[in-house]
Amino acid sequence: MRAGRLSVFAAIIGLLSGASHPAVAEDGYDLWLRYHEVDAPSWLQSYRSAVTYLVSEGGSPTLDVARAELEQGLSGLLAGVVPVRDTVAKAGALVIGTPQASPLLAGMQLDLSGLGAEGYLIRRVKVDGQPATIIAANEDSGVLYGAFHFLRLLQTRQPLENLDIQEAPSLRHRMLNHWDNLDRHVERGYAGQSIWDWHKLPDWVDPRYIDYARANASLGINATSLTNVNANAITLTPMYLEKAAALANVFRPYNIRVFLTARFSAPMEIGELDTADPLDADVRRWWMDKAEEIYSLIPDFGGFLVKANSEGQPGPQDYGRSHAEGANLLADAVSPHGGMVIWRAFVYSDEEPDDRAKQAYTEFVPLDGEFRDNVMVQVKNGAIDFQPREPFHPLFGATPETPLMMEFQITKEYLGFATHLAYLAPLFEETLEARITGEPKGPTVADVIDGSLHGYADTGMAGVANIGTDRNWSGSHFDQANWYAFGRLAWDPQLDSGRIADEWLRMTFSNNENFLEQATGMMMSSREAVVDYMTPLGLHHLMARGHHYGPGPWVEGGPRADWTSVYYHRATPQGIGFDRTETGSNAVSQYAPKVAEVFADRERIPEELLLWFHHLPWDYRTSSGRELWDELVHRYTRGVEAVGEMRETWEGLAPYVDAERHRQTADFLAIQEKEAKWWRDASIAYFQTFSRRPVPEGYEPPEHTLEYYQSLSFPYAPGN
Amino acid sequence: MRAGRLSVFAAIIGLLSGASHPAVAEDGYDLWLRYHEVDAPSWLQSYRSAVTYLVSEGGSPTLDVARAELEQGLSGLLAGVVPVRDTVAKAGALVIGTPQASPLLAGMQLDLSGLGAEGYLIRRVKVDGQPATIIAANEDSGVLYGAFHFLRLLQTRQPLENLDIQEAPSLRHRMLNHWDNLDRHVERGYAGQSIWDWHKLPDWVDPRYIDYARANASLGINATSLTNVNANAITLTPMYLEKAAALANVFRPYNIRVFLTARFSAPMEIGELDTADPLDADVRRWWMDKAEEIYSLIPDFGGFLVKANSEGQPGPQDYGRSHAEGANLLADAVSPHGGMVIWRAFVYSDEEPDDRAKQAYTEFVPLDGEFRDNVMVQVKNGAIDFQPREPFHPLFGATPETPLMMEFQITKEYLGFATHLAYLAPLFEETLEARITGEPKGPTVADVIDGSLHGYADTGMAGVANIGTDRNWSGSHFDQANWYAFGRLAWDPQLDSGRIADEWLRMTFSNNENFLEQATGMMMSSREAVVDYMTPLGLHHLMARGHHYGPGPWVEGGPRADWTSVYYHRATPQGIGFDRTETGSNAVSQYAPKVAEVFADRERIPEELLLWFHHLPWDYRTSSGRELWDELVHRYTRGVEAVGEMRETWEGLAPYVDAERHRQTADFLAIQEKEAKWWRDASIAYFQTFSRRPVPEGYEPPEHTLEYYQSLSFPYAPGN
């Protein structure tokens, strides 16, 4: 207590006397779009000579925002106005545009054939003998993405001398899913309220929407679903469609299309119908009319994202119809307008299955080939629910005729909310790199979703957003990295997570090499630390009920067994783990034979997935030589220690980071360490009641009794 | 629609190309504590020669923040560092402190006897022949208030040459009431979530709490009740008390004491008791222990704010005890620690009264003299509920032995939420200036609450806060003025509302005289416009059910008649208005005889209160010569027109205001005009069904049918 008070006073004084103006200055609002003056004189000089003015021929809202971003960015980075001129007259021009609109670029006879609508070319050229740089694309959206790429080069201190970059996105739909309700509550949101101020829309358009669009465009994100997948039919009423249209107007210049979630029973709730049966003619007519209405307000409306027959949501199965019949109903409605339907595969029927992990596969594989062309099925990375670690979802590769869209969770529902530092790109990467056939060089999940394996007509990746009204957007500074990494991977699923971390750190904090080495290391080990202190060795779904904050391995009872923890860990005095081999639920059989074979073999399965697929005795010998119980305690402990090391590392990085962002991160790491220990201690105390074994020598026993941990209550944890 | 889209694009381009760095810059976060360089060269020169350095002897957390604020403020205003020195060595010293800690000030033999603990002296003096300025006080808190006053002099362009200011607050408790829930929802809040991030407290202390404290201290606000009066017992659990203590630690240097709301049934809900009877010995012991626990964590805890036996809240009447017995229970618990209890008089019993307006008076006057010395009774300005206009509450003056604390509502629950511009100081002033005996020079409500009339032992004023996580704190820029005005009036209830507006405008926007004249005019007429378009001529409580957004004069039925609109307007084909004279509820009899006599006389009553007290025929002749129905239509229309004039005025003020704040205000005024028309049209359409009279010539009929207005639904209006 005493120490706490002192530190508060220190903070007060420090902030007030140090700050030149507002006490809150470096608050993270600018995200990675910080255009501060290049701090290394040699780089600054080199950049200043490379770019002295802008030339932009042609005009469109998208080209206008691209040029404005370059003006703003270059003026900041180069600490001086970078003027816009009509023609190339001297060295240092940055020429942007499309050959269609720019005679200058057209005259260069560029080969842009491989770039599609959204790709771009950045190249160092000579114009009339003068060195210049061009950002060229087939469409204005490509120019915009190229502009952000160019700014990133300066932000990350890349040389501009011999540029010849060609980039095009691997996936067509790069999309955020906001789980935002109309009352501004964000389900599983830990960064304040929804940024959509529905009440004041469409009359008041918050300038923050523009910065949201800028941030997404800088990553290539080109779609956003505004509303919670646990959908509200009111979203589709005229009053709310006008509000969505106002947002779409802001996003359009940034090449971002708006999607809405569709509540399947909307025809009954906001229409006059007494059924929502997808084969009913009136229902079909209602959705056709509704689509017509939407497109009259939002001509580039993306389409519907649908969660149906899952966790109590209505759906086609309520009428004995299949998911395909439900999806096709909506697909037919938006098809005349060029829209699409994204149908979520995160489903489970009302009856308890023998294994929830099997259900999406079981329901969707038989439907392969039955969906309309403009339907994609959106699949979570794993078959349970965004756990710190899951094996890749068995649906990937199992639907050659149905384009699958990846669904990652950017918000950290199960990874410590906003305060825990967990860089998720390694988690995303682990899934994307998984070999679906088990062959060492065989196709990966990335090959499935980018369409290369099955020749999908459409491709995409969705991330459940971690964005809210918090000043720093994502609840913590390091959570911005997860938004960033998602966007970069949606553009190119082959990108390396470490490289993304480096890039983000440079743009967000510092280009100092010492800082980068240490901070990247901290980020790259962070998710594994969370796995260790929450769910080591393949354990999963052990969180407290409802809010998912803190440990709850003892959770049992309630409406359904597969919403409890005991269902998943299956601890007994004999052992622990979920037997998903032939002797158990046989979920392994949903994978390709070689994958199944490895997962089913307790000796060959990657040890980090051990208890996901196997129920093993407490004295099972793990690869470390430790018995299973001892290994669990070891890993829990290792996770806590890793957070301690992150804290130490971060303390040492104070010279490289402004005081305000450094302090918040340091304080959050302190919370993380406290809560990591809570997870460890509560888990050990609980599982010890089954293992009946002592905490091995050299490891601390839990600080409190199991009853203490079970007594803790957090009725107002956010995001519930 | 088309125009809307164009304006969005204009905004996008304007914001991006104009801003040098973040698109969102002038966002209002700094409130009235803007320390921008003084823009008039002559003033700047005069200030620079008057203040060249700071001298601060002695040290304490409060003195430290006072000095830091002066350093920050003067450095900004004078555009140069103002150093802190040990001694007066040359001209231009600003010497701050108390004679106890400062030998320099002690040597001046100042008479500070009239200043109390919180007052201060600002005086131009000579020290060793050198011109200097002193800010002296008996206590450090007075120095802090003096520092803010001094900065305000520069911010508002006052001369510093012959300063001799002595100020002391008229009221002891100057307090914000936050109606903030533990889940961060703010009841009747229209500015985002609660700024209290309970989930992360006490480990993460948001720097914004410091700016909150600075803003309040700059006004002299010295107390804050953190939690909703619809209280949650969990507030008083150890986990949450630690969180409140962390906030108290931040606020302490700023002379702000923390209060908490106490749920009367807490001993049953978080204790082990099966009663909350105030006369039960275990209950008394429980509260004594709880107070002990609180004070061990928060040594300067202010005390409890209690809403009991009102709107379903538990209270002493549940056990057949009086409000006094309930209040005294808690008062005895905090008394040993110097704490107090603030007991709200906003009560009504479960049975429907003949007139809700009478209930607080009826319940509390008989209890006068029965409360402990450390109890204050907090009374809303009017007897219904923060309507755009109410007559002053009849309790003021009726309890000579019970100190009454004023409760104003700063948040605009009934005045258009965050988007309508309604400057509330004239409303506050109207109540404070009301003559309680009806004598032209007789005592006012202000004389009651400042204790001068009855010699109250304690005095105070509370305002229901309009503060949230919105970047601009209050939901709109002009709503900041209501926080400001409340604070200034709590310090000195005799202040003039126009002077406060001028002061706030200077500090927040501009010192330009043309701007000030027009903007002050706009503010000063704004609340009357709201009265006109919502509730003219003394009508009241006509809003939609639940959320209180928009018109609902047709609201009837439901759990209680006194929660409907028809209960209050009593419109019939014969007439309209609530007869509160002898022939009706006789609420007039609760006022002093001369006041009652005027209110009861339809010819002498101020016309703006006419229908509050009288039920009158539609053809009643008003002072304008118009019949009542026509006069209503006239006033509704006048209100809408007034908003149109405000819009025009504001457009003309663009040269004086940054683009970002100008635009938001302009957009909000457009919303206000649209909604003012909605209020007018819906009200006329509804009342016309009773009056059966045409809309008089020259006035527009309602745009839509009554059915249309009744069909509108706003299930997600904020603040509910």
Side-chain angles (χ1 to χ4, degrees):
Chain A
M1 198 58 232
R2 177 55 42 190
R5 278 189 201 162
L6 286 170
S7 76
V8 167
F9 282 122
I12 292 172
I13 301 312
L15 280 161
L16 276 177
S17 57
S20 67
H21 188 39
V24 181
E26 279 288 6
D27 53 21
Y29 181 82
D30 292 342
L31 295 164
W32 49 87
L33 300 176
R34 292 161 64 86
Y35 300 134
H36 293 205
E37 182 178 356
V38 172
D39 53 8
S42 59
W43 280 117
L44 181 58
Q45 197 187 336
S46 135
Y47 291 157
R48 276 181 172 164
S49 68
V51 189
T52 56
Y53 61 105
L54 269 171
V55 178
S56 161
E57 291 176 314
S60 75
T62 297
L63 216 53
D64 289 346
V65 298
R67 191 184 51 236
E69 190 76 31
L70 284 168
E71 280 186 79
Q72 179 186 345
L74 293 172
S75 302
L77 288 160
L78 307 184
V81 174
V82 176
V84 180
R85 301 202 189 285
D86 288 338
T87 55
V88 174
K90 54 166 190 156
L94 176 61
V95 183
I96 69 168
T98 64
Q100 292 92 316
S102 164
L104 199 54
L105 292 171
M108 294 184 196
Q109 306 287 328
L110 304 165
D111 176 11
L112 306 179
S113 58
L115 299 181
E118 295 180 304
Y120 52 84
L121 168 75
I122 306 178
R123 186 177 286 169
R124 192 75 178 161
V125 298
K126 290 215 170 171
V127 180
D128 296 338
Q130 302 285 5
T133 310
I134 60 167
I135 302 174
N138 292 312
E139 304 282 349
D140 292 339
S141 53
V143 179
L144 177 65
Y145 294 144
F148 278 111
H149 189 135
F150 185 77
L151 289 167
R152 190 165 67 228
L153 295 174
L154 280 74
Q155 289 178 281
T156 58
R157 310 290 186 264
Q158 304 301 305
L160 303 182
E161 281 77 30
N162 301 301
L163 287 178
D164 191 3
I165 295 168
Q166 296 200 39
E167 283 247 4
S170 304
L171 303 176
R172 187 165 155 206
H173 304 287
R174 307 174 298 278
M175 185 173 190
L176 289 183
N177 287 182
H178 289 268
W179 287 359
D180 292 14
N181 294 326
L182 301 184
D183 65 359
R184 301 191 77 176
H185 178 77
V186 181
E187 187 169 328
R188 312 306 175 188
Y190 314 105
Q193 290 182 294
S194 168
I195 58 170
W196 318 132
D197 189 350
W198 292 114
H199 180 67
K200 299 197 193 81
L201 281 167
D203 299 302
W204 162 240
V205 178
D206 191 331
R208 188 167 186 162
Y209 305 146
I210 299 171
D211 289 325
Y212 166 88
R214 290 174 57 229
N216 282 321
S218 77
L219 305 172
I221 290 171
N222 65 358
T224 183
S225 174
L226 303 175
T227 45
N228 195 348
V229 289
N230 291 320
N232 185 330
I234 289 174
T235 304
L236 303 179
T237 57
M239 182 191 281
Y240 277 84
L241 290 175
E242 270 196 54
K243 296 169 189 279
L247 289 172
N249 292 343
V250 176
F251 301 157
R252 192 168 293 114
Y254 293 93
N255 196 42
I256 296 169
R257 293 214 292 177
V258 156
F259 286 69
L260 292 172
T261 50
R263 186 161 162 91
F264 202 79
S265 49
M268 301 163 69
E269 292 164 9
I270 60 168
E272 307 276 296
L273 306 188
D274 53 13
T275 178
D277 183 344
L279 302 192
D280 182 276
D282 290 336
V283 172
R284 297 182 66 80
R285 167 60 40 211
W286 189 90
W287 282 108
M288 298 291 279
D289 292 346
K290 184 51 71 180
E292 189 92 24
E293 180 188 356
I294 296 173
Y295 279 93
S296 75
L297 292 165
I298 311 174
D300 58 348
F301 179 62
F304 294 122
L305 170 63
V306 188
K307 172 177 178 176
N309 292 121
S310 170
E311 297 184 317
Q313 292 295 308
Q317 295 177 344
D318 303 350
Y319 305 95
R321 316 300 184 192
S322 74
H323 281 293
E325 288 168 315
N328 293 344
L329 162 74
L330 300 177
D332 290 343
V334 294
S335 173
H337 312 280
M340 64 184 292
V341 168
I342 303 172
W343 196 266
R344 289 176 90 239
F346 179 68
V347 298
Y348 39 91
S349 65
D350 292 340
E351 299 97 54
E352 266 169 51
D354 61 333
D355 183 357
R356 187 172 121 191
K358 288 159 62 180
Q359 196 145 353
Y361 181 100
T362 306
E363 292 201 29
F364 278 84
V365 168
L367 299 175
D368 190 29
E370 294 190 18
F371 292 96
R372 295 281 190 273
D373 285 348
N374 60 332
V375 174
M376 293 189 74
V377 170
Q378 182 166 303
V379 185
K380 291 186 182 184
N381 58 292
I384 295 297
D385 192 15
F386 299 134
Q387 295 298 296
R389 169 166 278 122
E390 298 195 28
F392 70 92
H393 202 298
L395 263 175
F396 292 114
T399 64
E401 297 185 61
T402 308
L404 297 186
M405 187 150 171
M406 172 64 76
E407 178 175 316
F408 285 127
Q409 190 177 47
I410 308 171
T411 188
K412 302 208 310 299
E413 175 180 357
Y414 297 107
L415 291 98
F417 293 12
T419 45
H420 293 212
L421 198 164
Y423 175 54
L424 298 181
L427 184 163
F428 302 159
E429 187 178 44
E430 187 174 289
T431 302
L432 292 167
E433 289 180 348
R435 305 278 172 187
I436 60 167
T437 61
E439 308 283 349
K441 304 240 162 182
T444 62
V445 170
D447 296 329
V448 174
I449 65 155
D450 74 10
S452 57
L453 181 65
H454 302 302
Y456 286 162
D458 218 347
T459 56
M461 189 188 290
V464 181
N466 67 349
I467 296 163
T469 51
D470 272 8
R471 183 67 181 163
N472 64 20
W473 298 86
S474 299
S476 82
H477 300 298
F478 273 84
D479 278 329
Q480 297 178 351
N482 294 325
W483 177 7
Y484 184 90
F486 166 79
R488 298 287 284 131
L489 285 166
W491 179 273
D492 179 1
Q494 312 287 349
L495 277 181
D496 176 73
S497 61
R499 188 188 136 189
I500 298 173
D502 175 82
E503 206 176 80
W504 176 79
L505 284 166
R506 286 175 182 273
M507 296 167 79
T508 306
F509 287 111
S510 170
N511 280 279
N512 177 284
E513 294 296 337
N514 184 38
F515 169 79
L516 289 166
E517 189 190 328
Q518 295 187 61
T520 308
M522 192 176 90
M523 287 174 76
M524 291 302 290
S525 63
S526 60
R527 175 259 190 155
E528 208 62 41
V530 175
V531 172
D532 277 340
Y533 64 71
M534 285 186 179
T535 53
L537 284 171
L539 289 174
H540 51 287
H541 203 295
L542 302 180
M543 63 287 172
R545 199 194 291 274
H547 51 72
H548 301 172
Y549 171 66
W554 47 78
V555 168
E556 61 184 341
R560 354 183 355 147
D562 55 345
W563 286 355
T564 69
S565 299
V566 298
Y567 175 90
Y568 294 98
H569 66 66
R570 309 212 167 186
T572 66
Q574 286 70 51
I576 184 171
F578 196 139
D579 182 4
R580 290 191 168 105
T581 68
E582 259 186 332
T583 55
S585 78
N586 204 23
V588 290
S589 68
Q590 294 184 333
Y591 289 93
K594 290 207 173 160
V595 175
E597 195 186 306
V598 171
F599 283 173
D601 184 343
R602 61 173 70 171
E603 300 301 324
R604 290 165 64 203
I605 186 171
E607 203 163 44
E608 68 261 25
L609 295 175
L610 193 61
L611 302 178
W612 188 285
F613 287 107
H614 297 276
H615 185 83
L616 297 173
W618 293 107
D619 61 358
Y620 178 80
R621 188 70 60 181
T622 66
S623 66
S624 67
R626 290 182 204 95
E627 294 185 355
L628 180 57
W629 165 251
D630 292 356
E631 181 67 17
L632 276 175
V633 174
H634 171 72
R635 293 195 178 211
Y636 279 124
T637 308
R638 188 174 72 182
V640 179
E641 288 170 355
V643 181
E645 285 156 26
M646 284 160 62
R647 285 187 71 184
E648 247 175 73
T649 301
W650 187 249
E651 279 309 317
L653 297 179
Y656 308 107
V657 180
D658 54 274
E660 190 178 346
R661 288 188 298 167
H662 189 271
R663 176 168 202 93
Q664 186 184 75
T665 304
D667 286 355
F668 282 14
L669 283 167
I671 292 174
Q672 184 174 8
E673 188 174 23
K674 187 174 89 172
E675 295 184 350
K677 187 166 184 314
W678 169 36
W679 270 89
R680 172 204 183 267
D681 287 358
S683 302
I684 292 175
Y686 172 73
F687 288 126
Q688 203 170 23
T689 65
F690 299 100
S691 79
R692 298 172 193 171
R693 287 160 176 258
V695 172
E697 207 171 324
Y699 295 86
E700 290 288 321
E703 190 176 346
H704 300 283
T705 63
L706 175 59
E707 291 64 39
Y708 168 82
Y709 296 112
Q710 290 176 323
S711 77
L712 297 177
S713 161
F714 302 90
Y716 305 106
N720 202 2
Chain B
M1 197 61 233
R2 177 55 46 189
R5 278 189 202 164
L6 287 172
S7 74
V8 167
F9 282 120
I12 290 171
I13 302 312
L15 279 161
L16 277 177
S17 57
S20 68
H21 189 38
V24 180
E26 280 287 8
D27 52 22
Y29 181 81
D30 291 342
L31 296 162
W32 49 87
L33 300 176
R34 292 161 64 87
Y35 300 134
H36 292 206
E37 182 177 354
V38 172
D39 54 7
S42 58
W43 280 116
L44 180 60
Q45 197 186 336
S46 133
Y47 291 156
R48 278 182 173 164
S49 67
V51 188
T52 58
Y53 62 106
L54 270 171
V55 178
S56 160
E57 290 176 312
S60 75
T62 297
L63 216 52
D64 289 347
V65 298
R67 191 184 52 235
E69 192 75 30
L70 284 169
E71 278 186 79
Q72 179 187 343
L74 292 172
S75 302
L77 288 160
L78 307 184
V81 175
V82 176
V84 180
R85 301 202 190 286
D86 289 339
T87 55
V88 175
K90 53 166 191 157
L94 178 60
V95 183
I96 68 168
T98 63
Q100 291 92 316
S102 165
L104 199 56
L105 293 171
M108 295 184 195
Q109 307 287 334
L110 304 164
D111 177 11
L112 306 179
S113 56
L115 299 181
E118 297 180 303
Y120 52 84
L121 169 76
I122 305 179
R123 184 177 288 167
R124 192 75 177 162
V125 297
K126 290 215 171 170
V127 181
D128 296 337
Q130 302 285 4
T133 311
I134 60 168
I135 302 175
N138 291 312
E139 305 281 348
D140 291 340
S141 53
V143 178
L144 178 66
Y145 294 143
F148 279 111
H149 188 136
F150 185 76
L151 288 167
R152 190 164 68 228
L153 294 175
L154 279 73
Q155 289 178 282
T156 57
R157 309 292 185 263
Q158 305 301 307
L160 304 181
E161 281 77 30
N162 300 303
L163 287 178
D164 191 2
I165 294 168
Q166 296 200 40
E167 280 249 2
S170 303
L171 303 175
R172 186 165 156 205
H173 305 286
R174 307 174 298 275
M175 186 172 188
L176 289 182
N177 286 182
H178 289 267
W179 287 358
D180 292 15
N181 294 326
L182 301 184
D183 65 359
R184 301 190 74 176
H185 178 77
V186 180
E187 186 169 331
R188 311 307 175 190
Y190 314 104
Q193 291 180 293
S194 169
I195 58 171
W196 317 133
D197 189 350
W198 292 113
H199 180 67
K200 299 198 193 79
L201 282 167
D203 299 303
W204 164 243
V205 177
D206 192 331
R208 187 164 187 164
Y209 304 146
I210 298 171
D211 289 325
Y212 166 87
R214 289 174 56 228
N216 283 320
S218 78
L219 306 172
I221 290 171
N222 66 357
T224 181
S225 173
L226 303 175
T227 45
N228 194 347
V229 289
N230 291 320
N232 185 330
I234 288 175
T235 304
L236 302 180
T237 58
M239 182 191 282
Y240 277 84
L241 290 175
E242 270 195 54
K243 296 170 189 281
L247 290 172
N249 292 343
V250 175
F251 301 157
R252 192 168 295 114
Y254 293 93
N255 196 41
I256 296 169
R257 293 213 294 175
V258 157
F259 286 67
L260 292 172
T261 50
R263 185 160 163 91
F264 202 78
S265 48
M268 301 163 69
E269 291 164 11
I270 60 167
E272 306 277 295
L273 305 188
D274 53 12
T275 179
D277 183 342
L279 301 193
D280 181 276
D282 290 337
V283 171
R284 296 181 68 78
R285 167 59 42 206
W286 190 91
W287 282 108
M288 297 291 279
D289 291 346
K290 183 53 71 181
E292 188 91 26
E293 180 190 356
I294 296 173
Y295 280 92
S296 74
L297 293 164
I298 310 173
D300 57 348
F301 179 64
F304 295 122
L305 170 62
V306 188
K307 172 176 178 175
N309 291 121
S310 169
E311 298 186 316
Q313 292 294 309
Q317 294 176 344
D318 303 349
Y319 305 95
R321 316 300 183 189
S322 74
H323 282 293
E325 287 168 315
N328 293 345
L329 162 75
L330 300 175
D332 290 343
V334 296
S335 172
H337 311 281
M340 64 184 290
V341 168
I342 303 170
W343 196 266
R344 289 175 90 241
F346 180 67
V347 297
Y348 37 93
S349 65
D350 293 340
E351 299 97 55
E352 267 169 50
D354 62 332
D355 183 357
R356 188 173 120 189
K358 288 160 60 183
Q359 198 145 353
Y361 181 99
T362 306
E363 291 200 30
F364 278 84
V365 168
L367 298 175
D368 190 29
E370 294 190 18
F371 292 96
R372 295 281 189 274
D373 284 349
N374 60 332
V375 175
M376 292 189 74
V377 170
Q378 183 167 300
V379 184
K380 292 186 181 182
N381 59 291
I384 296 298
D385 193 14
F386 299 133
Q387 295 299 296
R389 169 167 279 121
E390 300 195 26
F392 70 93
H393 202 299
L395 262 175
F396 292 113
T399 64
E401 297 184 59
T402 308
L404 297 186
M405 188 150 170
M406 172 64 76
E407 178 175 316
F408 284 127
Q409 190 177 48
I410 308 171
T411 188
K412 303 209 307 299
E413 174 180 356
Y414 297 106
L415 291 99
F417 292 11
T419 44
H420 294 211
L421 198 165
Y423 175 54
L424 299 182
L427 185 162
F428 303 157
E429 187 178 44
E430 185 173 291
T431 302
L432 291 167
E433 290 180 346
R435 305 277 171 188
I436 59 168
T437 60
E439 307 283 348
K441 305 238 161 184
T444 63
V445 170
D447 296 329
V448 174
I449 66 153
D450 74 10
S452 57
L453 181 63
H454 302 303
Y456 286 162
D458 218 348
T459 58
M461 188 189 289
V464 181
N466 66 350
I467 297 163
T469 53
D470 272 10
R471 184 67 181 162
N472 64 21
W473 299 85
S474 300
S476 83
H477 299 297
F478 274 85
D479 278 330
Q480 297 178 352
N482 294 326
W483 178 7
Y484 184 90
F486 166 78
R488 298 286 286 133
L489 284 166
W491 179 273
D492 179 1
Q494 312 287 347
L495 276 180
D496 176 74
S497 61
R499 189 188 137 190
I500 298 172
D502 174 83
E503 205 176 80
W504 175 81
L505 283 166
R506 287 175 181 272
M507 295 167 79
T508 305
F509 287 111
S510 168
N511 279 281
N512 177 284
E513 293 296 339
N514 184 37
F515 169 80
L516 289 166
E517 187 189 330
Q518 294 187 63
T520 308
M522 192 175 90
M523 287 174 77
M524 291 302 290
S525 64
S526 60
R527 176 257 190 157
E528 206 63 40
V530 176
V531 171
D532 276 340
Y533 63 71
M534 286 187 180
T535 53
L537 283 173
L539 289 173
H540 51 287
H541 203 293
L542 301 181
M543 64 286 171
R545 199 193 292 274
H547 51 71
H548 301 171
Y549 171 67
W554 46 78
V555 169
E556 62 185 337
R560 338 177 19 137
D562 54 346
W563 285 355
T564 68
S565 299
V566 298
Y567 175 90
Y568 294 99
H569 64 66
R570 311 209 167 189
T572 66
Q574 285 70 49
I576 184 171
F578 196 140
D579 181 3
R580 290 192 167 104
T581 67
E582 259 186 333
T583 56
S585 77
N586 204 21
V588 291
S589 69
Q590 295 183 332
Y591 290 93
K594 289 206 172 158
V595 175
E597 194 187 305
V598 172
F599 285 173
D601 183 345
R602 60 173 69 172
E603 301 299 324
R604 288 166 65 205
I605 187 171
E607 203 163 43
E608 68 262 26
L609 296 176
L610 190 62
L611 302 177
W612 188 284
F613 288 106
H614 296 274
H615 185 85
L616 296 172
W618 294 107
D619 62 358
Y620 178 81
R621 188 69 60 180
T622 65
S623 65
S624 66
R626 292 181 203 95
E627 292 185 358
L628 178 58
W629 165 250
D630 293 357
E631 180 69 15
L632 275 174
V633 174
H634 171 71
R635 292 195 177 211
Y636 279 124
T637 308
R638 187 174 74 181
V640 178
E641 287 171 355
V643 180
E645 285 156 25
M646 283 160 63
R647 285 187 72 182
E648 247 176 74
T649 301
W650 186 249
E651 280 309 317
L653 297 179
Y656 308 106
V657 180
D658 53 275
E660 192 179 347
R661 288 188 296 167
H662 190 271
R663 175 167 204 92
Q664 187 184 73
T665 304
D667 286 356
F668 282 13
L669 283 167
I671 292 174
Q672 183 174 8
E673 188 174 24
K674 188 174 88 171
E675 295 183 352
K677 184 166 186 316
W678 169 35
W679 268 91
R680 171 204 184 268
D681 286 358
S683 301
I684 292 175
Y686 172 73
F687 288 125
Q688 201 170 23
T689 65
F690 299 98
S691 79
R692 296 169 192 173
R693 285 157 178 262
V695 172
E697 207 169 328
Y699 296 86
E700 289 289 321
E703 188 176 349
H704 300 283
T705 63
L706 175 59
E707 291 66 36
Y708 167 81
Y709 295 112
Q710 289 176 324
S711 77
L712 297 177
S713 162
F714 302 90
Y716 305 106
N720 201 359

